[in-house]
């Protein structure tokens, strides 16, 4: 049985899975700010960021500015940073974008995490001050990351490659249907031109109906322009009526409606979020380093 994560140091989770899956865990903290870092992981990386933001906080304090308070809402959908009074979301960090999370062992109040920004794709280090909950918050983010990855697999993350292939097949089917429609239009134009030529070449004033021309199999050519034609066939019987084709639904050359694999079930994803699935898969593959404990993905199957 494959495990989503292997933990070098066993940690006891702080909350039930339901609390993080169906709700969120709130924490209050002071927000020292965020700063860009060069690497998505590393103890020295976050140490430098903490030093930088602590120094900036001392300068602001000397100028009479207070460190703003925030509310953290942690769930399997991410870490939200909100204004505690207005509940306005200041930052929304998705878990698959968080690559490093730790609390400072030299300063028990400080904890931090590194998250890749969704717009600039830069790695930002967020630093907080919590008097009593720094370690607990760090562990809660780690637990949420674990649950989020498992939920990603259950909701179709394993089938990202399969969905890519389906999307490619769907695109090819659409191309073939377009080519088929163009060929039908060309055939129809040629038949129209042939009928006009036959009418113009008939003797003037002649009222004798001209027998339809036949092909090499001695059969009357099919004309989509006159499906209800009452002209008798060569053996004197009426030809069967040609069923009318609906103009509302495009059908392929076999008379079937175009196949759309993305509306065949509630669990399927439309192509427009395929890139999001890819991004989530890559983020979870990177794993989350938590307090020096590396969360790494085991091979899920032969495709990984």
């Amino acid at each position: 049985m494959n495990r989503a994560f292997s933990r070098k140091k066993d940690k006891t989770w702080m909350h039930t899975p339901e609390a993080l899956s169906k709700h969120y865990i709130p924490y209050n903290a002071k927000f020292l700010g965020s700063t860009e870092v060069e690497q998505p992981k590393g103890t020295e990386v976050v140490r430098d960021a903490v030093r930088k933001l602590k120094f900036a906080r001392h300068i602001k304090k000397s100028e009479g500015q207070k460190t703003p308070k925030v509310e953290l809402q942690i769930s399997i959908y991410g870490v939200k940073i909100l204004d505690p009074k207005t509940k306005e979301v200041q930052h929304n960090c998705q878990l698959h974008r968080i690559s490093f999370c730790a609390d400072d062992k030299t300063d028990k109040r400080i904890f931090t995490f590194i998250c890749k920004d969704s717009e600039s794709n830069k790695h930002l280090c967020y630093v907080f001050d919590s008097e009593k909950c720094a370690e607990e918050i760090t562990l809660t983010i780690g637990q949420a990351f674990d649950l989020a990855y498992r939920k990603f697999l259950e909701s179709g993350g394993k089938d990202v490659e399969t969905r890519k292939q389906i999307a490619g097949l769907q695109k090819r089917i659409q191309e073939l249907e377009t080519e088929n429609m163009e060929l039908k239009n060309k055939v129809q134009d040629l038949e129209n031109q042939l009928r006009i030529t036959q009418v113009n070449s008939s003797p003037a004033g002649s009222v004798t109906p001209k027998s339809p021309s036949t092909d090499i199999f001695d059969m009357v050519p099919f004309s989509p322009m006159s499906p209800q034609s009452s002209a008798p066939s060569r053996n004197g019987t009426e030809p069967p009526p040609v069923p009318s084709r609906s103009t509302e639904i495009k059908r392929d050359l076999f008379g079937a409606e175009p196949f759309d694999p993305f509306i065949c079930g509630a669990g399927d994803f439309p192509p427009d979020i395929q890139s999001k699935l890819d991004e989530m898969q890559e983020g979870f593959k990177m794993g989350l380093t938590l307090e020096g404990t590396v969360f790494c993905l085991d091979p899920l199957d032969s495709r990984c």
Side-chain angles (χ1 to χ4, degrees):
M1 178 178 178
N2 290 325
R3 297 178 59 190
F5 295 89
S6 60
R7 292 195 286 271
K8 294 181 180 179
K9 296 180 181 179
D10 189 20
K11 292 290 184 181
T12 301
W13 295 134
M14 307 294 298
H15 310 282
T16 63
E18 291 75 17
L20 289 163
S21 299
K22 299 181 180 180
H23 306 284
Y24 60 84
I25 307 298
Y27 291 100
N28 293 319
K30 293 181 179 179
F31 186 32
L32 275 66
S34 63
T35 182
E36 183 181 353
V37 293
E38 295 182 357
Q39 300 295 330
K41 298 177 182 288
T43 303
E44 289 300 324
V45 174
V46 295
R47 281 179 182 172
D48 292 340
V50 170
R51 293 192 193 103
K52 178 180 178 180
L53 291 174
K54 275 187 174 181
F55 180 75
R57 181 177 66 169
H58 287 311
I59 294 178
K60 291 180 180 179
K61 274 189 174 182
S62 66
E63 297 174 350
Q65 299 182 31
K66 295 182 178 180
T67 304
K69 295 180 180 180
V70 295
E71 177 183 332
L72 298 177
Q73 294 182 356
I74 304 174
S75 70
I76 62 172
Y77 300 103
V79 178
K80 289 184 179 181
I81 305 172
L82 303 90
D83 184 291
K85 294 182 179 180
T86 64
K87 302 299 181 182
E88 180 183 357
V89 178
Q90 300 175 355
H91 303 277
N92 187 8
C93 303
Q94 295 175 305
L95 288 175
H96 67 276
R97 290 179 171 272
I98 298 178
S99 54
F100 191 91
C101 183
D103 54 283
D104 193 340
K105 299 306 178 184
T106 61
D107 187 345
K108 299 293 185 178
R109 304 164 58 99
I110 300 297
F111 70 95
T112 179
F113 62 81
I114 297 176
C115 181
K116 188 177 182 180
D117 184 68
S118 59
E119 296 182 358
S120 64
N121 283 330
K122 296 179 180 179
H123 295 287
L124 302 178
C125 183
Y126 295 79
V127 180
F128 303 86
D129 184 329
S130 177
E131 185 175 354
K132 299 179 180 179
C133 302
E135 183 177 6
E136 180 179 337
I137 294 173
T138 302
L139 289 174
T140 302
I141 293 176
Q143 182 183 7
F145 188 94
D146 191 338
L147 293 172
Y149 175 71
R150 296 177 188 277
K151 182 176 178 64
F152 175 72
L153 292 183
E154 292 172 1
S155 63
K158 275 185 176 181
D159 300 327
V160 171
E161 294 300 325
T162 302
R163 295 179 191 284
K164 285 182 179 179
Q165 295 176 7
I166 292 176
L169 289 174
Q170 184 194 37
K171 182 179 180 182
R172 181 55 182 160
I173 290 172
Q174 292 175 345
E175 291 174 351
L176 290 174
E177 289 177 347
T178 301
E179 293 176 4
N180 180 46
M181 185 61 63
E182 292 176 353
L183 289 173
K184 286 183 177 180
N185 292 336
K186 290 181 179 179
V187 170
Q188 181 174 314
D189 291 341
L190 290 174
E191 289 178 346
N192 291 338
Q193 294 177 9
L194 179 61
R195 291 179 60 203
I196 294 174
T197 303
Q198 292 175 347
V199 171
N200 293 337
S201 61
S202 62
S206 174
V207 294
T208 304
K210 183 179 180 181
S211 61
S213 59
T214 58
D215 58 16
I216 56 175
F217 301 105
D218 199 30
M219 297 187 68
V220 179
F222 168 72
S223 175
M225 295 300 295
S226 56
Q228 303 298 331
S229 175
S230 58
S233 63
R234 291 177 62 86
N235 57 10
T237 60
E238 292 291 333
V242 179
S244 60
R245 291 179 293 176
S246 173
T247 58
E248 297 180 357
I249 302 178
K250 293 183 178 180
R251 300 178 182 273
D252 59 19
L253 70 168
F254 300 106
E257 296 182 18
F259 171 65
D260 188 353
F262 295 103
I263 60 171
C264 60
D268 291 324
F269 293 99
D272 59 336
I273 68 167
Q274 190 65 51
S275 60
K276 295 181 182 179
L277 283 174
D278 295 339
E279 178 196 339
M280 291 180 70
Q281 186 182 51
E282 292 302 317
F284 283 124
K285 277 185 177 180
M286 178 180 290
L288 172 64
T289 301
L290 179 67
E291 288 188 310
T293 301
V294 179
F295 289 72
C296 57
L297 298 180
D298 290 333
L300 298 174
D301 49 45
S302 59
R303 293 174 299 180
C304 295

